[in-house]
Amino acid sequence: MRTSRRLRVEATGDIITPGQYTVLAQLHGNGPQTLRALAEREHVQAPSMTRIVNALTEQGFVTRTAHPADGRQVQVGITPAGKDVLAEAREQRTAWLAQRVAGLSDEDRQTLSRAAHIMQQLAAK
């Protein structure tokens, strides 16, 4: 969990916050979603998600549209600019992690590789 949190922080920087990063990643991976669905997925209260989405909207990284099945609800979707900033954040995260892994001994890298394989197997069950 610490590594996951650290990667989120390293991936963000000056443009977006870690919370905004996870929302953009959700929207990119799962398509448009309601504020409620995003809040539930991120385990935050609706007002917190509203603040995150408002900030992303102001930056042009997400759009709000009427829900196709329920006009009372709003769907949030990622914009091309949001996809770009998400890709940049992921590149920063990957570079940070690659730098740390490069500093490990060969033995530690092999151990890490084996552990990653075991974690993938656990997740698949």
Side-chain angles (χ1 to χ4, degrees):
M1 289 303 291
R2 283 187 208 162
T3 303
S4 177
R5 275 187 238 125
R6 180 67 190 261
L7 285 171
R8 276 196 332 166
V9 169
E10 292 299 329
T12 53
D14 297 334
I15 298 175
I16 56 175
T17 67
Q20 291 171 343
Y21 172 85
T22 58
V23 168
L24 289 174
Q26 279 295 320
L27 294 172
H28 185 261
N30 300 312
Q33 298 177 46
T34 64
L35 286 169
R36 177 179 298 206
L38 286 169
E40 288 174 1
R41 181 80 178 200
E42 294 301 311
H43 305 288
V44 299
Q45 297 296 316
S48 296
M49 185 54 63
T50 299
R51 282 191 295 277
I52 292 170
V53 169
N54 285 345
L56 290 169
T57 302
E58 288 172 11
Q59 292 172 293
F61 299 146
V62 301
T63 58
R64 294 175 188 229
T65 57
H67 191 284
D70 184 353
R72 298 170 295 167
Q73 292 190 39
V74 172
Q75 274 194 322
V76 180
I78 192 168
T79 65
K83 289 178 184 178
D84 290 345
V85 78
L86 180 62
E88 181 181 325
R90 286 178 171 167
E91 287 173 13
Q92 289 175 353
R93 177 187 67 185
T94 301
W96 178 86
L97 187 57
Q99 181 182 16
R100 296 306 183 279
V101 170
L104 297 175
S105 68
D106 286 340
E107 182 181 346
D108 285 347
R109 280 196 298 273
Q110 289 175 355
T111 300
L112 186 59
S113 176
R114 176 93 174 107
H117 180 71
I118 292 168
M119 295 299 289
Q120 287 175 335
Q121 289 177 332
L122 288 173
K125 292 182 181 182

